[in-house]
Amino acid sequence: MSNVSYHISNLLEKMTSTDKDFRFMATNDLMLELQKDSIKLDEDSERKVVTMLLKLLEDKNGEVQNLAVKCLAPLVSKVKEPQVETMVDTLCSNMMSDKEQLRDISSMGLKTVIAELPLTSSGLNLTASVCKKITSQLIGAMGKHEDVSVQLEALDILSDMLGRLSGALVGFHSSLLSSLLPQLTSSRMAVRKRSILALGHLVPCCSPALFSQLTEHLLTELAKGPPTSMTRTYIQCLATISRQGGHRVGEHLEKLIPMVVKFTSVEDDELREYCFQAFEAFIRRCPKEMSPHVATVTKLCLKFMTFDPNYNYDDDEEEQEDSMDIEDGLDEESDDEYSDDDDMSWKVRRSSIKCLDALISTRRDLLLSFYSSVCPALLARFKEREENVRADVFAAFSTLLRQTRVGSSHHGLVVAGSDSEPSKEEEPAVTMLKKQVPVIVKALHRQLKEKSIKSRQGCFCLLTELAHTVPGALEQHIPALIPGIVFSLTDKSTSSTMRIDALTFFHVLLLSHPPQAFQPHMQVLLPPVVACVEDSFYKITSEALLVAQQLVRVMRPQGQTGGFDPKPFVKEVFSVTLKRLKATDIDQEVKERAITCMGHMVCHLGDHLRAELQGVLAIFLERLKNEITRLTAVRTITLISASSLKIDLSSILPEALTVLGSFLRKNQRALKLGTLACLNALVTHHAASIKPAALDPVLSELPALVDESDMHVSQVSVTLMTCMAKACPSSLAKISSSVLPGVFRLVHSPLLQGSVLAAIVDFLQALVLSKTSNLGYSQLLKSLTDPFHSSQADAAVIHRQSYHSVARCVAALSSACPKETPGTVAGLMKEVKSPGSPESARVLALLCLGEVGRTGSLGGSKEVQGVILEAISSTNEEVKTAASCALGSMAVGSLNDYLPFLLREISSQPRRQYLLLHSLKEVISACPASSLSPHVESIWALLFQNCECQEEGTRNLVAECLGKLTFVNASQLLPRLKQQLKAGSPLARSTVVTAIKFTIVDHPAPIDSLLKDCIGDFLKTLQDGDINVRRVALVMFNSAAHNKPSLIRGLLPTVLPHLYKETQIRKDLIREVEMGPFKHTVDDGLDVRKAAFECMYTLLDSCLEGLDVLQFLDHVEEGLKDHYDIRMLTFLMLARLASLCPAAVLQRLDRLIEPLKATCTTKVKAGSVKQEFEKQEELRRSAMRAVAALLAVPEVERSPSMADFANQIRTNADMASIYQSIQGGEGEGLGPAESMDMS
């Protein structure tokens, strides 16, 4: 007999002891044994353990019973099927027992077993058979038992089981439904409620037919006009199944809505409440199907949100608003006379307001109409007497504000005003909201002084939302709000959360409004904030320090002199902040905020601190040495050193620099960057008080930081060295030899671009001008260009980007030393002409000439022109391209010398046209509009001569030039492009549409308002007869949707049908081509379809609210069966949709699963080429990503087809391994078992 069995039989023996303590200990030991993963029981032991535990469930001692129940959980997964069935049988029959205690324990046992049944495919048979057993017993128990408590337990267990294992019970769904429906008519309220819950769990997984049966049943019963209590149950049931079954209700809404609307007129408050809950569920679950009924529901909500038959709101309350507080006290007493405990009307008001909240949050498209209808109604209800309802009014209004904010945060259009600053056009909703601000404040400022904490919190949350949505809108009303803020901060009875809320709102208010608005009220505002800084609760202190920091800024904003005198207030803020700053035994957050707050004091009011200042700086130095507060201290010293008060830091500088130098070695990136910024500020503002030797600890660390592994750190380090070159050149000279190799490595790195390159250019100029370095102009130049002169072998390694970087640096050096320029230029021309130079050196020399020319220092030298033209006709491709680039750059530098020459060449040299157009593009992109405008006509004419060129590459270049040229004078040139649409051939039309693509840029530009008016005309080309024009129109539309969605939002209803039309496969565009003995099909429509699907993907990100997601999904579904490229795109879309609008995806799940399944299970034919295998593998991974995104949607596995597919993935090793690699391989075994919970 094995050791385990022996141990267990020993325990079983003790369980039969007469002493309850023995039984308790033995059961406890057994539980611990069973929880071990390693335990294996033989059949005999299994049987004995199960029998024993079931017997212990009837033990006289309650504690033993409880332990026995706990043992059942680990046992389910350890014993074989027959034993689990024995357990279930016994538990079920005990459920029917007459003894109440046994019944309770057994139902707990059943719930435990259900919670432990395995969901994996291997255990599904067991789960299914156990569920069948339990279900048939429970259905019996519900039907025939007279005792209500048994019925209730049975319903409870059933809910649990359906909630977790509904998929395994598919066979039982119809019998469950037929046994649950009669329970809805039970005389006991509790039975009806639990039946509704069970039905709620049944709905998500049942077949559409059953769902219809249930809905039909409810409709027929409601149509009979049952007694009110029954109607309540049915309506409640409707709301529940709509919440749980989601989109399925959509098909039945036409019949349901009139029915529910009818019942709102019955004089019964609870029934009305349930009616509105049903409406809310409909709105949240099927916003699209509800569209026709929105008006009806809104009207009902507005009617019933004021439903308060037992209370008379005085109309003259408004006038008395500012009367004395004594009257308020009297009012409160008289309120009590009304308080009628049977008054349920508040439930109606609350549910109708929640319903409005749902409407506002699901229908952003109706925002403007909400502002005219719902907004005034909500404002009028701010006076609601029931505080729970009032909280909901505030919540609904906050939702309205949030929706407005979502809308206005999209790129607003820029309107070209008379002033040079482009002003943002306001969203109409924001304009309407601004008009309401006085009304909002009037309604709220009185409530800010109410006793009720809930009301005040609601007010603060609402005002915070308002300040975020329309920053600055409350400026006029600050005097009205201040008493309320001060009251919440000083009121003795106020809870700490209330104070924190008041401080948070005050902080937002200070951030979003100008300082002048608060200065007159300083006397009232400061004392309560100071008192909060002294509070014993750390969260209040930390919030109050944030507010104090903003108040310091208000006392003397940067750059403001005169006006407000902060002197009387400095002392009190200083003393409390100092107390917190010195304390070491406080919360970390308080420490950090005290440092920052004091930093702001020194920065803004340092001249008022006089004698105290040095002590504070010494504390900052201490905090800088402490690992926990060092980052905050670094940021604070940065702030102080840049202060306009020129604070004297000499007392702490030498030591601080040593500490800062050591931080540059640390591995913490934020600390490195903070330290570099701090050093930058110190060197810039305090160079005079830094002794050269003090910088040594910093200098020694800098060379290591200039490295391509972290470009941002490199950039900040180079900027610091530039400051040093200007402020303390002698220090820089010490490290130039060690740091320059790193800088040159960066210049030659393919990763260098943008701001990092600009920083290096500044550094090299500062270095050459500081004249201290032992490296002069010629040596720097040599180091930059050396790698390009070496043998051909190395030249292949040089990346194209490095040529441009080096050229920029050479030009920067030559502009810093104009005397050297002529010699440099001569050298470069010699390099280009000499046939012996390697290709890399000639290319570099050309690009350098171009960059030097861009600064205008070459003038119109004929010699240079000759050299460039000769290079353009070279046989070497790289040299040709570099020459065209150089020509463009030079033309930017001296437009009048080069442009006419360039235009002549384009007309007369058809063979070089492509390269010369590149030069022209450079000119148009880089020149300011003012200098281009005299030449616009000649360029325009030339471009239109070439817009029908057969070469697509040339046409695209022409289009880009046209688009960028349009910026010069949009009001005249855009209409001309529009004319060309009517006149030109298909090629010309495609060029014009592509040109429009280049006028849409991702930042606000004056052309936007003009584009908005005419982009519709350009989008009409989506209906063009020529397939190529349709393709470029789609590309243009995609660009607009990506960079400036505001241009096309209004056009979506007209554009989408044409876009969707292009996603369909067209048989007439598929042709067969014979290639020798093989036939090969070519699909000419593929590119257009691809472009259309790309547009759809972009619209998901930028214009989601303008899409009808279900219609969108129809086309995604088609794309899932299309060509490889398109399937890859639609998989991506599906993953996005699963996170953006899960409800709609769940609605279509069954149709989407099939193509995904097909892709994941397809095998490539044996003997195919390697590319085929790779392609298929990529497809499967991509499909699996979409599946993973779907599995992340809550409740997704309630769909039988999805649960089935998830199982298939788990059981198929091949698919499981793909799934895991996508999940990032986390967790051992199969990770998703947790995330694929079927609950």
Side-chain angles (χ1 to χ4, degrees):
M1 200 172 184
S2 73
N3 196 7
V4 176
S5 318
Y6 177 69
H7 182 49
I8 292 216
S9 60
N10 240 339
L11 288 175
L12 291 175
E13 201 171 312
K14 285 186 187 155
M15 287 181 191
T16 54
S17 156
T18 48
D19 185 343
K20 65 173 190 298
D21 290 341
F22 269 116
R23 298 200 301 274
F24 179 84
M25 289 312 297
T27 317
N28 196 33
D29 291 347
L30 178 68
M31 183 169 77
L32 295 174
E33 277 301 317
L34 289 173
Q35 281 167 349
K36 293 179 186 164
D37 285 338
S38 54
I39 186 169
K40 291 272 184 291
L41 296 173
D42 54 31
E43 214 154 309
D44 190 38
S45 309
E46 274 184 21
R47 206 172 44 250
K48 283 181 182 162
V49 169
V50 171
T51 321
M52 195 67 219
L53 282 174
L54 290 172
K55 191 170 154 211
L56 286 178
L57 286 179
E58 302 182 35
D59 197 280
K60 291 186 180 60
N61 182 295
E63 287 179 340
V64 177
Q65 282 183 323
N66 286 340
L67 266 183
V69 169
K70 283 185 185 163
C71 286
L72 294 178
L75 201 60
V76 173
S77 50
K78 299 281 190 303
V79 298
K80 297 192 181 56
E81 202 168 317
Q83 304 308 330
V84 180
E85 291 187 8
T86 314
M87 275 156 57
V88 171
D89 279 341
T90 315
L91 289 168
C92 284
S93 56
N94 284 351
M95 274 266 315
M96 311 286 189
S97 146
D98 301 333
K99 296 181 194 148
E100 190 176 343
Q101 195 182 11
L102 182 57
R103 278 203 311 254
D104 288 350
I105 270 290
S106 306
S107 65
M108 276 168 62
L110 271 177
K111 285 178 187 170
T112 312
V113 171
I114 288 170
E116 289 300 320
L117 285 174
L119 295 173
T120 50
S121 50
S122 51
L124 272 182
N125 300 339
L126 165 71
T127 303
S129 59
V130 170
C131 286
K132 281 179 189 149
K133 268 211 158 41
I134 299 182
T135 312
S136 46
Q137 300 257 19
L138 288 179
I139 290 178
M142 277 179 346
K144 62 172 184 286
H145 220 284
E146 290 71 54
D147 189 344
V148 176
S149 58
V150 174
Q151 273 186 318
L152 288 176
E153 286 296 355
L155 283 167
D156 219 11
I157 294 168
L158 201 59
S159 286
D160 270 17
M161 190 157 66
L162 282 170
R164 185 163 184 266
L165 306 162
S166 188
L169 296 172
V170 175
F172 277 95
H173 282 178
S174 59
S175 55
L176 278 172
L177 185 62
S178 44
S179 60
L180 281 171
L181 288 177
Q183 302 298 330
L184 289 176
T185 54
S186 157
S187 54
R188 291 291 297 268
M189 187 70 178
V191 174
R192 299 206 296 257
K193 283 208 158 151
R194 290 205 189 170
S195 312
I196 291 176
L197 278 178
L199 282 170
H201 285 301
L202 173 71
V203 161
C205 280
C206 68
S207 65
L210 266 185
F211 188 84
S212 300
Q213 187 188 331
L214 170 58
T215 324
E216 292 300 328
H217 173 82
L218 293 174
L219 276 168
T220 7
E221 289 298 319
L222 281 170
K224 293 178 188 164
T228 312
S229 63
M230 290 314 309
T231 313
R232 281 185 214 158
T233 301
Y234 289 135
I235 299 270
Q236 216 180 347
C237 186
L238 261 185
T240 304
I241 63 174
S242 159
R243 266 194 297 276
Q244 299 285 344
H247 55 85
R248 291 180 167 187
V249 184
E251 303 153 27
H252 306 277
L253 279 184
E254 283 310 315
K255 297 182 203 149
L256 287 172
I257 297 278
M259 191 72 93
V260 184
V261 169
K262 189 180 86 185
F263 284 113
T264 52
S265 55
V266 176
E267 288 294 326
D268 179 274
D269 291 346
E270 286 198 20
L271 176 58
R272 283 181 179 147
E273 180 191 16
Y274 296 148
C275 285
F276 282 113
Q277 284 173 352
F279 284 142
E280 185 189 350
F282 297 156
I283 290 165
R284 289 203 186 275
R285 293 299 186 197
C286 344
K288 176 163 184 277
E289 289 88 342
M290 273 299 283
S291 295
H293 311 288
V294 165
T296 322
V297 175
T298 313
K299 203 164 133 194
L300 281 171
C301 289
L302 293 174
K303 175 179 163 192
F304 282 104
M305 68 192 272
T306 57
F307 174 71
D308 200 352
N310 303 333
Y311 184 79
N312 182 17
Y313 288 94
D314 293 339
D315 296 333
D316 54 342
E317 258 183 56
E318 300 296 321
E319 279 83 72
Q320 299 176 3
E321 201 163 298
D322 300 317
S323 62
M324 297 167 67
D325 290 347
I326 304 163
E327 286 193 14
D328 282 359
L330 294 175
D331 280 359
E332 275 171 34
E333 284 166 31
S334 56
D335 276 359
D336 297 344
E337 296 164 19
Y338 294 112
S339 93
D340 183 359
D341 291 338
D342 308 330
D343 176 14
M344 286 294 174
S345 63
W346 64 273
K347 288 188 171 180
V348 181
R349 297 199 297 281
R350 188 180 61 178
S351 56
S352 58
I353 287 162
K354 284 195 158 161
C355 185
L356 275 179
D357 193 339
L359 259 178
I360 298 168
S361 56
T362 50
R363 300 301 302 256
R364 243 217 97 235
D365 48 333
L366 301 175
L367 196 57
L368 288 177
S369 71
F370 290 149
Y371 265 107
S372 46
S373 59
V374 178
C375 174
L378 283 172
L379 282 171
R381 288 313 297 167
F382 280 5
K383 63 181 183 203
E384 167 66 55
R385 66 196 174 103
E386 192 63 52
E387 85 172 344
N388 288 328
V389 183
R390 193 166 19 180
D392 284 321
V393 176
F394 289 156
F397 201 84
S398 298
T399 307
L400 186 66
L401 293 173
R402 267 194 299 279
Q403 290 288 47
T404 314
R405 193 155 84 237
V406 170
S408 57
S409 63
H410 287 301
H411 312 297
L413 288 178
V414 168
V415 184
S418 51
D419 49 346
S420 58
E421 249 326 79
S423 59
K424 265 193 153 187
E425 183 187 321
E426 248 181 28
E427 289 251 336
V430 178
T431 318
M432 292 175 88
L433 174 59
K434 279 189 173 165
K435 289 186 190 138
Q436 300 287 356
V437 171
V439 190
I440 299 174
V441 176
K442 189 176 175 191
L444 289 183
H445 86 271
R446 192 151 169 233
Q447 307 220 358
L448 284 173
K449 289 188 142 179
E450 293 244 337
K451 291 270 185 296
S452 150
I453 290 203
K454 203 166 180 182
S455 292
R456 279 189 281 161
Q457 282 182 318
C459 291
F460 281 133
C461 291
L462 197 152
L463 286 166
T464 309
E465 286 291 344
L466 184 61
H468 280 312
T469 309
V470 208
L474 291 168
E475 192 174 345
Q476 265 73 58
H477 309 286
I478 283 173
L481 295 172
I482 283 175
I485 298 174
V486 173
F487 173 69
S488 276
L489 293 180
T490 50
D491 179 28
K492 290 285 168 284
S493 61
T494 300
S495 69
S496 50
T497 44
M498 184 67 250
R499 282 192 197 175
I500 293 172
D501 279 353
L503 285 165
T504 313
F505 164 63
F506 191 15
H507 187 229
V508 172
L509 195 67
L510 284 164
L511 282 175
S512 54
H513 292 78
Q516 292 71 27
F518 301 96
Q519 286 174 348
H521 309 285
M522 217 49 177
Q523 218 144 359
V524 190
L525 287 172
L526 203 57
V529 175
V530 168
C532 286
V533 175
E534 299 241 47
D535 197 278
S536 54
F537 182 39
Y538 76 95
K539 280 204 160 132
I540 293 183
T541 307
S542 114
E543 282 301 321
L545 281 166
L546 274 185
V547 175
Q549 174 185 321
Q550 288 308 321
L551 285 173
V552 166
R553 202 184 50 104
V554 166
M555 289 185 207
R556 188 196 281 168
Q558 287 271 297
Q560 181 193 326
T561 47
F564 181 77
D565 176 26
K567 196 166 181 192
F569 308 107
V570 174
K571 199 162 169 35
E572 52 181 325
V573 185
F574 179 76
S575 55
V576 287
T577 314
L578 186 65
K579 191 169 145 196
R580 292 297 182 190
L581 180 67
K582 283 180 172 167
T584 46
D585 53 349
I586 46 173
D587 186 77
Q588 157 117 20
E589 193 176 63
V590 179
K591 277 186 196 170
E592 291 179 355
R593 286 182 176 175
I595 295 173
T596 316
C597 181
M598 187 56 92
H600 276 266
M601 282 205 76
V602 175
C603 172
H604 290 269
L605 306 165
D607 48 352
H608 289 278
L609 303 178
R610 296 199 182 81
E612 309 276 1
L613 186 60
Q614 294 311 317
V616 171
L617 291 177
I619 298 179
F620 282 154
L621 188 59
E622 283 306 304
R623 299 290 173 266
L624 190 65
K625 295 175 187 168
N626 179 335
E627 187 174 343
I628 294 178
T629 52
R630 61 189 181 191
L631 184 56
T632 317
V634 167
R635 288 175 179 158
T636 305
I637 292 175
T638 315
L639 180 79
I640 296 172
S641 57
S643 160
S644 53
L645 300 176
K646 306 268 180 293
I647 307 292
D648 175 25
L649 297 176
S650 50
S651 60
I652 60 164
L653 262 181
E655 200 172 344
L657 285 170
T658 315
V659 180
L660 289 170
S662 71
F663 289 168
L664 294 177
R665 274 199 300 275
K666 299 278 186 278
N667 211 357
Q668 194 186 347
R669 188 162 183 266
L671 183 65
K672 249 186 225 174
L673 288 167
T675 305
L676 286 165
C678 182
L679 289 165
N680 213 333
L682 288 171
V683 170
T684 312
H685 300 283
H686 299 270
S689 42
I690 299 179
K691 299 188 178 64
L695 273 175
D696 287 352
V698 174
L699 294 171
S700 56
E701 301 302 334
L702 280 176
L705 295 180
V706 181
D707 180 62
E708 66 175 33
S709 62
D710 189 334
M711 280 299 192
H712 187 52
V713 170
S714 303
Q715 178 188 337
V716 188
S717 313
V718 171
T719 313
L720 173 61
M721 296 191 307
T722 313
C723 288
M724 287 182 178
K726 291 174 184 161
C728 35
S730 55
S731 308
L732 193 65
K734 294 183 197 166
I735 58 160
S736 56
S737 53
S738 57
V739 85
L740 278 172
V743 173
F744 291 134
R745 269 200 303 282
L746 263 191
V747 175
H748 297 139
S749 154
L751 305 176
L752 182 73
Q753 53 191 338
S755 49
V756 195
L757 176 57
I760 289 183
V761 165
D762 289 346
F763 170 62
L764 289 174
Q765 285 184 321
L767 188 66
V768 90
L769 290 173
S770 69
K771 303 262 189 309
T772 52
S773 142
N774 39 10
L775 290 166
Y777 176 86
S778 50
Q779 267 161 309
L780 287 173
L781 207 58
K782 185 170 181 309
S783 308
L784 282 170
T785 53
D786 258 0
F788 298 86
H789 291 277
S790 53
S791 62
Q792 284 308 117
D794 289 352
V797 184
I798 299 173
H799 192 273
R800 173 165 292 163
Q801 179 61 42
S802 3
Y803 286 101
H804 293 282
S805 308
V806 172
R808 284 272 303 275
C809 294
V810 170
L813 285 174
S814 96
S815 72
C817 314
K819 292 198 189 79
E820 308 278 356
T821 308
T824 310
V825 171
L828 291 170
M829 294 200 321
K830 189 169 139 216
E831 192 75 67
V832 177
K833 284 196 263 188
S834 92
S837 334
E839 174 196 310
S840 55
R842 289 169 64 197
V843 169
L844 179 70
L846 282 164
L847 292 174
C848 291
L849 278 174
E851 288 298 332
V852 173
R854 190 187 283 269
T855 55
S857 48
L858 289 180
S861 145
K862 284 280 175 282
E863 191 183 358
V864 181
Q865 279 185 17
V867 170
I868 295 280
L869 272 185
E870 194 179 328
I872 282 188
S873 27
S874 148
T875 50
N876 183 321
E877 283 301 321
E878 293 294 329
V879 173
K880 276 203 266 201
T881 314
S884 84
C885 219
L887 182 58
S889 300
M890 290 176 194
V892 172
S894 40
L895 201 61
N896 297 335
D897 295 318
Y898 282 94
L899 192 62
F901 158 72
L902 182 57
L903 297 177
R904 270 202 313 281
E905 287 292 311
I906 292 178
S907 315
S908 59
Q909 303 277 357
R911 289 198 28 244
R912 298 190 209 150
Q913 202 172 36
Y914 183 73
L915 291 167
L916 293 164
L917 279 168
H918 259 294
S919 312
L920 182 62
K921 181 186 89 178
E922 179 61 33
V923 175
I924 296 174
S925 309
C927 280
S930 51
S931 51
L932 267 178
S933 43
H935 306 281
V936 167
E937 289 305 325
S938 49
I939 302 179
W940 190 264
L942 175 76
L943 290 172
F944 267 110
Q945 287 164 17
N946 294 304
C947 74
E948 298 186 7
C949 173
Q950 290 302 314
E951 275 291 311
E952 187 173 8
T954 309
R955 270 205 318 278
N956 283 345
L957 259 181
V958 168
E960 190 170 347
C961 292
L962 277 172
K964 290 186 169 164
L965 192 59
T966 308
F967 280 118
V968 177
N969 184 351
S971 53
Q972 284 184 9
L973 299 178
L974 258 180
R976 287 206 211 168
L977 281 176
K978 210 160 96 182
Q979 285 320 114
Q980 284 297 340
L981 277 183
K982 304 190 182 89
S985 63
L987 289 178
R989 286 202 300 277
S990 74
T991 308
V992 170
V993 175
T994 310
I996 291 295
K997 180 182 91 174
F998 288 104
T999 61
I1000 302 166
V1001 284
D1002 59 357
H1003 49 84
I1007 195 173
D1008 294 348
S1009 49
L1010 298 166
L1011 262 178
K1012 187 166 191 186
D1013 297 335
C1014 66
I1015 195 158
D1017 299 313
F1018 291 106
L1019 284 172
K1020 287 195 180 124
T1021 48
L1022 285 170
Q1023 306 160 50
D1024 199 286
D1026 183 83
I1027 188 165
N1028 195 36
V1029 177
R1030 292 205 301 278
R1031 182 180 61 79
V1032 294
L1034 284 167
V1035 173
M1036 182 266 284
F1037 177 65
N1038 190 8
S1039 169
H1042 182 68
N1043 294 319
K1044 277 260 168 61
S1046 48
L1047 289 176
I1048 52 139
R1049 275 208 185 93
L1051 300 169
L1052 285 179
T1054 46
V1055 173
L1056 283 174
H1058 301 296
L1059 169 64
Y1060 290 150
K1061 193 174 157 198
E1062 294 304 330
T1063 61
Q1064 269 128 32
I1065 297 178
R1066 284 181 43 189
K1067 295 278 190 293
D1068 54 326
L1069 292 175
I1070 298 175
R1071 54 198 167 87
E1072 282 203 340
V1073 182
E1074 292 196 1
M1075 301 173 82
F1078 302 109
K1079 282 191 174 164
H1080 181 62
T1081 50
V1082 175
D1083 182 353
D1084 292 327
L1086 179 61
D1087 283 345
V1088 178
R1089 285 208 306 286
K1090 212 157 122 189
F1093 277 107
E1094 279 164 1
C1095 287
M1096 284 170 64
Y1097 185 65
T1098 308
L1099 287 174
L1100 271 188
D1101 273 343
S1102 57
C1103 305
L1104 184 63
E1105 64 269 26
L1107 301 174
D1108 168 355
V1109 180
L1110 292 176
Q1111 190 187 4
F1112 188 91
L1113 272 166
D1114 287 336
H1115 300 284
V1116 171
E1117 193 187 324
E1118 290 306 306
L1120 289 170
K1121 306 166 191 156
D1122 203 327
H1123 180 269
Y1124 166 81
D1125 292 341
I1126 288 171
R1127 269 152 74 196
M1128 293 292 276
L1129 260 174
T1130 46
F1131 292 148
L1132 283 174
M1133 276 192 244
L1134 203 51
R1136 275 298 284 140
L1137 279 161
S1139 67
L1140 291 172
C1141 21
V1145 175
L1146 287 177
Q1147 202 163 337
R1148 287 296 163 80
L1149 201 54
D1150 298 350
R1151 283 158 47 180
L1152 296 167
I1153 293 289
E1154 281 317 306
L1156 285 172
K1157 214 182 214 171
T1159 305
C1160 287
T1161 49
T1162 319
K1163 293 269 190 290
V1164 185
K1165 291 192 201 90
S1168 302
V1169 289
K1170 183 173 171 228
Q1171 282 89 336
E1172 273 302 307
F1173 278 108
E1174 285 171 358
K1175 231 175 177 179
Q1176 185 57 37
E1177 192 52 30
E1178 200 38 58
L1179 259 182
R1180 288 174 68 186
R1181 291 182 68 79
S1182 195
M1184 201 56 95
R1185 276 193 199 97
V1187 174
L1190 288 174
L1191 285 171
V1193 175
E1195 303 182 359
V1196 71
E1197 287 202 32
R1198 287 181 168 184
S1199 140
S1201 53
M1202 189 71 201
D1204 185 45
F1205 187 30
N1207 267 324
Q1208 199 178 337
I1209 294 175
R1210 290 195 190 108
T1211 46
N1212 176 327
D1214 189 22
M1215 288 204 281
S1217 72
I1218 299 180
Y1219 185 87
Q1220 271 211 276
S1221 65
I1222 278 155
Q1223 291 289 22
E1226 65 244 10
E1228 57 283 340
L1230 190 77
E1234 286 77 59
S1235 63
M1236 286 184 179
D1237 192 328
M1238 302 222 182
S1239 58

